[in-house]
Amino acid sequence: LNQLAGSWILVPFGQHAVDFDGVVTLNETAKFLYENCKEEIDVKKLKIALIEEYSISEETAENAVDLWISEMKEAGCIDD
């Protein structure tokens, strides 16, 4: 995770760099989720963290986490 020109980006390395030609740009919420799952992805903890950080509903947090996980998998940033 790096900041470049005011944007947060994930830069792939190793085999991921070969498989995915580019970078992933994160908004503040995606950056927050990424930083809260460095060890492992715990969906329940991520949802609670979003609710506490942004004062959003449980449904909104669930949708945001599900979408983030789907997009990170698609980009090859996380494994199944």
Side-chain angles (χ1 to χ4, degrees):
L1 179 65
N2 294 297
Q3 189 172 24
L4 180 66
S7 296
W8 291 99
I9 59 170
L10 288 175
V11 180
F13 60 92
Q15 186 60 41
H16 291 294
V18 174
D19 296 337
F20 183 80
D21 185 26
V23 296
V24 177
T25 304
L26 304 178
N27 64 20
E28 286 298 319
T29 304
K31 176 185 167 280
F32 177 83
L33 290 170
Y34 179 81
E35 290 178 331
N36 277 277
C37 66
K38 297 242 179 178
E39 299 296 319
E40 65 179 303
I41 295 176
D42 183 324
V43 173
K44 185 176 180 177
K45 286 182 182 179
L46 287 176
K47 291 175 186 176
I48 291 168
L50 272 184
I51 291 167
E52 292 174 355
E53 180 71 15
Y54 295 103
S55 300
I56 58 177
S57 71
E58 187 173 334
E59 181 180 357
T60 300
E62 183 173 345
N63 290 338
V65 170
D66 292 346
L67 178 61
W68 179 78
I69 289 172
S70 174
E71 290 176 349
M72 292 294 103
K73 284 180 180 179
E74 184 178 319
C77 295
I78 57 177
D79 297 322
D80 286 328

